[in-house]
């Protein structure tokens, strides 16, 4: 089994309309949400052998706050292919992970992260967590996927229906002030 902890970047700052999408960092709510999610992950014993992430400013900033709140963890490896990638591209990036890593934190963007989750987790009536992801995978949300594979390389060719969604947590589930339309 291989575990992928999927983290969407936190709420980005749109105050400077002249900035390129890639260069937008986080707003204050995003900083708070990333830290809340880092504390939650640490408290729930989520561990990872590596971090693979988009190099976009909002992801870099999310990981900085997440890691500060989480505690000691690996340094991120930034991969430009993750920036606005489709789910299949994300699976290909994961497939390049070197053994013996058994758990990866993957930090990136919508809609590719949702596409990865929704393709990897079978669509059946017994998965309220999957239904929640399908409804909305908001900023700073975190999902834990366990893939029924023995090696990372197999994800390059066959990741559809191979995962179980173990948990799905949104910042607003931990702090209502981090919910929609909250400041």
């Amino acid at each position: 089994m291989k575990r992928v902890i999927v983290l969407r970047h936190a709420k980005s700052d749109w105050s400077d309309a002249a900035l390129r999408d890639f260069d937008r960092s986080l707003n204050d709510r995003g900083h708070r949400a990333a830290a809340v999610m880092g504390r939650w992950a640490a408290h729930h014993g989520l561990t990872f052998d590596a971090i693979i992430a988009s190099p976009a400013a909002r992801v870099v900033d999310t990981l900085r706050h997440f890691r500060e709140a989480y505690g000691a963890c690996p340094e991120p490896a930034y991969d430009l292919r993750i920036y606005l990638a489709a789910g299949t591209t994300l699976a290909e990036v994961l497939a390049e992970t070197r053994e013996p890593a058994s758990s990866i934190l993957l930090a990136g963007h919508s809609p590719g992260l949702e596409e990865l989750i929704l393709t990897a987790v079978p669509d059946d009536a017994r998965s309220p967590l999957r239904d929640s992801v399908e409804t909305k995978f908001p900023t700073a949300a975190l999902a834990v996927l366990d893939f029924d594979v023995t090696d990372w390389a197999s994800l390059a060719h066959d990741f559809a229906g191979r995962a179980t969604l173990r948990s799905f947590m949104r910042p607003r589930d931990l702090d209502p002030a981090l919910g929609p339309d909250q400041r």
Side-chain angles (χ1 to χ4, degrees):
M1 180 191 73
K2 300 295 184 184
R3 174 166 280 181
V4 178
I5 301 166
V6 178
L7 176 66
R8 183 177 173 200
H9 68 78
K11 194 65 133 176
S12 58
D13 184 358
W14 287 83
S15 63
D16 184 350
L19 276 180
R20 294 181 318 152
D21 176 74
F22 189 86
D23 297 326
R24 282 186 290 111
S25 190
L26 301 182
N27 65 19
D28 289 338
R29 191 170 109 197
H31 293 159
R32 292 191 325 268
V36 162
M37 298 311 288
R39 283 190 294 277
W40 181 85
H43 179 75
H44 285 84
L46 293 182
T47 60
F48 36 91
D49 302 314
I51 301 172
I52 305 171
S54 162
R58 60 191 178 273
V59 176
V60 172
D61 210 15
T62 296
L63 284 174
R64 182 170 52 88
H65 291 283
F66 179 93
R67 292 175 69 236
E68 285 172 1
Y70 180 90
C73 61
E75 288 291 322
Y78 294 102
D79 190 325
L80 187 57
R81 293 175 296 171
I82 296 172
Y83 177 65
L84 304 180
T88 53
T89 301
L90 295 173
E92 290 168 2
V93 170
L94 289 168
E96 295 172 6
T97 301
R98 293 185 182 173
E99 304 299 337
S102 63
S103 183
I104 302 296
L105 175 68
L106 176 66
H109 309 270
S110 176
L113 294 176
E114 295 103 297
E115 184 182 319
L116 174 73
I117 295 166
L118 296 175
T119 302
V121 178
D123 184 11
D124 61 31
R126 298 167 298 164
S127 182
L129 289 178
R130 187 186 187 285
D131 293 344
S132 294
V133 170
E134 190 168 21
T135 299
K136 182 164 183 164
F137 194 72
T139 53
L142 186 146
V144 179
L145 297 171
D146 285 340
F147 282 90
D148 183 21
V149 296
T150 57
D151 58 70
W152 291 106
S154 62
L155 294 179
H157 309 290
D158 184 23
F159 74 98
R162 300 292 301 269
T164 301
L165 183 56
R166 295 290 178 203
S167 64
F168 173 56
M169 185 58 60
R170 303 168 299 187
R172 71 176 176 217
D173 297 330
L174 303 170
D175 181 351
L178 296 172
D181 302 324
Q182 302 295 318
R183 303 284 172 222

